[in-house]
Amino acid sequence: QAVGAIATGQASAVIVFRALVQGNSGRLSAAVMAHHLNAHMVGAGLVAPAQVCAIRAQRMFEHFGVPKSAVENFVRAAAFHGERNPEAVAFGQPFDPEAYHGSRWISEPFRLFDCSRENDGAGALLVVSAERARDLKRMPIHIAGVAQGAAAGWGDLLENDDDDQYATAGFKSVARRLWEQTGLSPADIDVAQVYENFSAQGVASLIDHGFCTYESVGEFCTFENLTAPRGKLPINTSGGNLAQGFIHGIGMPIEAVRVLRGDSANPVPGAKVCLLAGGPGAPIVSSAIFSSQLV
């Protein structure tokens, strides 16, 4: 929306921000229950976001055969990056496999550390035209492309999606438009910030964007592949929603800018292109590509 406003002359500079104080605004889970989960779902006992996403995750494991090791490695990579980020709630806290597997169930297959950490906090980004950005003191990072929308039949109220979509994060058509719009492909992405309200949804997002398939995700989602500085696709280099903290995802685009500027706590040497994948599983999703150069 910020890019659209600038491109059409409605604005010359836009601040994109999110601020959250749960004492005043309430916890996100309560807000989602009030606004998204209708009587059809509540009547079936689905009263929290974790439960809805858990059904999709379980289908991904049982029907499509996605190995749970892929999800654990996703969580471990986020924790690895968060441990090294002074701004993260997980700073200085190494990943403990025993604590991960021994933590309490939230909604099977999600245990405590599969869930994003709701926090108070705030973040903001300044969006201007590429021409105006040349005069800024800091190196500009360009928004190379944005796609937003929903696949046919997608929705989160009745859980009646097509069979081949049900275990996805809802990005297949959006990702396809993003690649077509920019002329890029997954092979061109150096680093990714993947919104993960729950761990399995982050892995589903990688599949939807074409980095791997249900069959190859186990080989792709290894700890070595997902971590900076030398991974094939370092993900969530700030720690993401799982390890940095969850302010409705505002940390993800901020980290996209930082990692391309070389300012990340977990630098990715030579990174020029970063994928920002928005919230998976929502009725409307969006993804963007950030680049250190005009594409």
Side-chain angles (χ1 to χ4, degrees):
Q1 291 172 337
V3 171
I6 292 169
T8 56
Q10 299 178 71
S12 59
V14 179
I15 293 289
V16 178
F17 81 97
R18 186 71 177 109
L20 180 63
V21 180
Q22 295 181 81
N24 295 333
S25 56
R27 291 179 62 82
L28 177 65
S29 57
V32 171
M33 184 174 71
H35 296 293
H36 286 293
L37 306 184
N38 66 358
H40 171 90
M41 302 177 77
V42 173
L46 300 178
V47 297
Q51 294 173 313
V52 177
C53 291
I55 293 174
R56 295 180 182 274
Q58 199 77 324
R59 182 169 177 80
M60 189 173 72
F61 293 139
E62 295 183 4
H63 183 73
F64 289 98
V66 170
K68 291 187 177 181
S69 61
V71 172
E72 180 175 349
N73 287 331
F74 189 99
V75 176
R76 183 183 170 197
F80 174 84
H81 294 140
E83 179 188 354
R84 289 154 178 77
N85 179 9
E87 294 185 359
V89 294
F91 178 59
Q93 302 174 23
F95 178 77
D96 184 345
E98 292 186 6
Y100 172 71
H101 289 289
S103 62
R104 68 180 185 272
W105 289 112
I106 301 301
S107 183
E108 193 175 359
F110 298 139
R111 293 185 180 273
L112 179 64
F113 296 113
D114 289 302
C115 304
S116 57
R117 306 193 190 197
E118 295 188 31
N119 299 95
D120 293 346
L125 300 94
L126 170 65
V127 184
V128 299
S129 68
E131 181 179 3
R132 188 171 183 183
R134 297 190 186 104
D135 297 327
L136 299 179
K137 293 181 180 180
R138 300 300 307 277
M139 169 187 170
I141 299 301
H142 303 279
I143 301 174
V146 180
Q148 178 175 337
W154 180 262
D156 71 349
L157 292 183
L158 296 179
E159 297 296 296
N160 61 347
D161 308 309
D162 293 342
D163 183 70
D164 65 340
Q165 295 183 37
Y166 190 74
T168 80
F171 281 103
K172 287 185 176 180
S173 61
V174 169
R176 183 170 59 251
R177 293 206 314 274
L178 185 67
W179 301 131
E180 292 172 353
Q181 177 189 135
T182 59
L184 300 173
S185 72
D188 298 306
I189 303 300
D190 300 311
V191 57
Q193 313 305 328
V194 182
Y195 185 110
E196 49 355 348
N197 40 9
F198 303 99
S199 56
Q201 273 59 44
V203 172
S205 183
L206 292 175
I207 296 171
D208 278 6
H209 283 87
F211 291 101
C212 52
T213 64
Y214 292 120
E215 293 74 24
S216 66
V217 64
E219 297 176 9
F220 184 84
C221 284
T222 66
F223 177 72
E224 292 73 20
N225 272 352
L226 301 181
T227 48
R230 292 178 292 275
K232 183 177 181 180
L233 183 73
I235 55 99
N236 298 354
T237 45
S238 66
N241 294 329
L242 294 178
Q244 181 186 23
F246 182 42
I247 314 299
H248 294 186
I250 192 64
M252 316 296 279
I254 292 173
E255 178 64 13
V257 172
R258 285 178 174 172
V259 75
L260 293 178
R261 281 180 173 166
D263 295 338
S264 174
N266 294 281
V268 179
K272 294 181 173 60
V273 184
C274 179
L275 173 73
L276 171 68
I284 301 293
V285 294
S286 64
S287 289
I289 292 177
F290 287 62
S291 175
S292 60
Q293 301 172 341
L294 281 172
V295 176

